[in-house]
Amino acid sequence: MQASALLGLLAFTAAAAAIPATPRQAHSDASIQNLKTQIKNVVVLVMENRSVDNLLGGQTLKGLENPIQNGPYCNPYNLTNPAEGTVCSASRDYDSITDDPDHAIYGNNFQFYGSFTPDNARIAGGQLTPSQQGFVHEQLRLYSAAANRTELSTQVMNYYTEQQVPVLTTLVQNFVVFNHWHSDIPGPTDPNRAALVSGTSYGHGSNDMAFLKHAFPQRSIFQQLTETGHSWINYYDTAGGTGPDAGFFNWTYNTNNTNKIRPLKNFYSDAAAGSLPEFTYINPSCCGVGTNSMHPSGLISDGERLIKSVYDALRAGPQWNDTLFILSFDETGGFHDHVPPPLALRPDNRTYTTRTPSGERYTFEFNRLGGRIPTLLISPWVGKGYVEQKGRDAQGKIVSYSASSILRTLGYLWDFAPFNARVEGAPSFEHLVRTSARSDTPVVLPIPVPFR
Ligand SMILES: *[C@@H]1O[C@H](CO)[C@@H](O)[C@H](O)[C@H]1NC(C)=O
Ligand SMILES: *[C@@H]1O[C@H](CO)[C@@H](O)[C@H](O)[C@H]1NC(C)=O
Ligand SMILES: *[C@@H]1O[C@H](CO)[C@@H](O)[C@H](O)[C@H]1NC(C)=O
Ligand SMILES: *[C@@H]1O[C@H](CO)[C@@H](O)[C@H](O)[C@H]1NC(C)=O
Ligand SMILES: *[C@@H]1O[C@H](CO)[C@@H](O)[C@H](O)[C@H]1NC(C)=O
Ligand SMILES: *[C@@H]1O[C@H](CO)[C@@H](O)[C@H](O)[C@H]1NC(C)=O
């Protein structure tokens, strides 16, 4: 090819680069090599208890399936008495929700299947699929049917407008957002947080004492990285309330690695100095007024303030051009989402048995995902305003993303095999990292303001 023709081609390629093209295949040598070339630092911030339809329900970016574009979605007030009528998703939710929705495993069962004890055999066989009709009924049961029904149903069905969540809106419009990303477990925070960093909750289905007692023996990303010479720090908000998730594991304590668990204020100075480790994991505070995880009754605007602080610090720091920032949530927190969670491979043979409010026992086999949660990839190396749909597992089958997709992808970056079958079966997302960096990423995010 002549030099002039080559220059012409280069000019053409530069012009075409504005299209958020993702030509590579997940799990391919080319996309894995590109990930390793471009990304040196990964930052993971896991917020609390919000579904896609709730938090991103008002986003108008095409490709995101949500109530403002595809709804409204409705739930009956009472599943067994249709005469009580229905209530539908509507725009604007509260900055603070005082009645935390149910997100125990049985609560999620009711929200998805309309029963605390859905038939596991029929679920596994595909004959019983979630209807997503029980969110309002369960909220009314939990907080007394005598309370203000409008207020309770609004809390679980309504969604935030783009103006209410300016930080998230800017991130959605400037980076990659997933349309089909689910929590690993249809249950509460600690089991989901453990699964995110180790691929399993080791049979735990509630926020029990074992999490505080460092009782988890399975391999975590923290152990994996240390043993292969990679650096990590688990920064945590010292106001407390979530994690620190590296502290769940016996290994962290037995091997004297607790010095890698540090206060969040160190994150800001490390980011400014360019001394963030290869893997940064951030625990927000939770769960009451004044905390910043977005968990009820913490304010949504306080959560946005934390996300902005983390982004602004990374964007201003010297490591930005090597960084992939993954913003996700632990679970849906009992907020409505219209997409039925799919089945997934069991990570291990452990089960969790609980007693439901109706007095029955229910055994969960960890063979299905929780609801959709907001997840974004934020980096100069990802497309602008790109909505990722479902992904592919290593066999090329199209499946929904889950929290295990993080471990699946980081295994490619830092050369480790999937910790278990659940992680192995998860789609990876390294193909969303592009071959050239953008220079148009926002310098700072908008300042969120409290609302009603
Ligand atoms: C739903 O309706 C049934 C039948 O009328 C009633 O027994 C039950 O108490 C109602 N549940 C709630 C949460 O209002
Ligand atoms: C119920 O709550 C709604 C929304 O907050 C409010 O507009 C309405 O006045 C309340 N109704 C009663 C009877 O308190
Ligand atoms: C490790 O876990 C066991 C239970 O699995 C617990 O009894 C023990 O205290 C833990 N050890 C440390 C050092 O945290
Ligand atoms: C643990 O780490 C501290 C500080 O890094 C060090 O002084 C101490 O000797 C270590 N202990 C063990 C048992 O490795
Ligand atoms: C990152 O890359 C951009 C575009 O290539 C460049 O303008 C900027 O100076 C780089 N920033 C740092 C901190 O290296
Ligand atoms: C789970 O149990 C099955 C049947 O007993 C066994 O074949 C399999 O190896 C077990 N899986 C794990 C991860 O232990």
Side-chain angles (χ1 to χ4, degrees), residues 108-122:
N108 276 174
N109 278 348
F110 202 96
Q111 292 152 355
F112 299 166
Y113 296 99
S115 162
F116 291 126
T117 55
D119 184 331
N120 281 345
R122 294 186 63 227

Side-chain angles (χ1 to χ4, degrees), residues 73-283:
Y73 301 112
C74 307
N75 263 201
Y77 281 108
N78 188 329
L79 275 168
T80 53
N81 185 9
E84 291 185 28
T86 60
V87 57
C88 299
S89 57
S91 162
R92 287 190 70 82
D93 204 343
Y94 301 103
D95 199 358
S96 168
I97 283 169
T98 45
D99 304 309
D100 187 15
D102 200 349
H103 40 257
I105 283 182
Y106 60 71
N108 276 174
N109 278 348
F110 202 96
Q111 292 152 355
F112 299 166
Y113 296 99
S115 162
F116 291 126
T117 55
D119 184 331
N120 281 345
R122 294 186 63 227
I123 292 173
Q127 295 98 352
L128 180 59
T129 54
S131 66
Q132 308 299 95
Q133 290 292 299
F135 289 84
V136 170
H137 183 125
E138 178 57 3
Q139 184 76 342
L140 296 182
R141 181 198 68 78
L142 192 58
Y143 292 103
S144 157
N148 186 332
R149 291 190 147 206
T150 310
E151 189 157 334
L152 285 174
S153 53
T154 297
Q155 288 172 346
V156 291
M157 293 303 290
N158 275 27
Y159 57 86
Y160 293 94
T161 64
E162 288 183 328
Q163 292 71 29
Q164 286 182 311
V165 289
V167 168
L168 283 162
T169 300
T170 305
L171 291 172
V172 162
Q173 289 172 355
N174 279 280
F175 298 101
V176 169
V177 61
F178 288 87
N179 191 32
H180 286 281
W181 184 290
H182 293 256
S183 77
D184 257 326
I185 297 168
T189 194
D190 287 341
N192 273 296
R193 288 178 167 278
L196 194 150
V197 293
S198 73
T200 174
S201 68
Y202 209 70
H204 292 247
S206 68
N207 298 334
D208 60 51
M209 286 305 289
F211 292 95
L212 289 176
K213 290 182 166 170
H214 332 300
F216 288 78
Q218 73 270 29
R219 171 169 292 263
S220 68
I221 176 94
F222 308 107
Q223 176 179 0
Q224 176 64 40
L225 293 182
T226 297
E227 290 181 355
T228 52
H230 295 287
S231 55
W232 63 270
I233 295 176
N234 180 179
Y235 301 95
Y236 70 104
D237 190 316
T238 51
T242 72
D245 298 353
F248 294 159
F249 304 98
N250 239 267
W251 171 87
T252 310
Y253 284 78
N254 294 341
T255 59
N256 202 11
N257 276 287
T258 51
N259 62 343
K260 299 184 180 69
I261 299 177
R262 299 182 190 169
L264 182 60
K265 70 173 165 40
N266 294 35
F267 164 79
Y268 298 107
S269 49
D270 290 351
S275 58
L276 289 174
E278 289 167 277
F279 183 59
T280 293
Y281 187 85
I282 302 175
N283 277 100

Side-chain angles (χ1 to χ4, degrees), residues 3-50:
S4 58
L6 182 62
L7 280 176
L9 184 63
L10 284 174
F12 174 78
T13 310
I19 300 163
T22 55
R24 294 162 188 281
Q25 287 277 321
H27 309 280
S28 71
D29 290 346
S31 67
I32 294 167
Q33 194 47 55
N34 183 56
L35 173 75
K36 286 165 167 286
T37 304
Q38 318 302 2
I39 303 300
K40 305 286 179 252
N41 303 93
V42 175
V43 177
V44 176
L45 169 58
V46 182
M47 305 288 284
E48 280 284 322
N49 297 43
R50 295 285 167 176

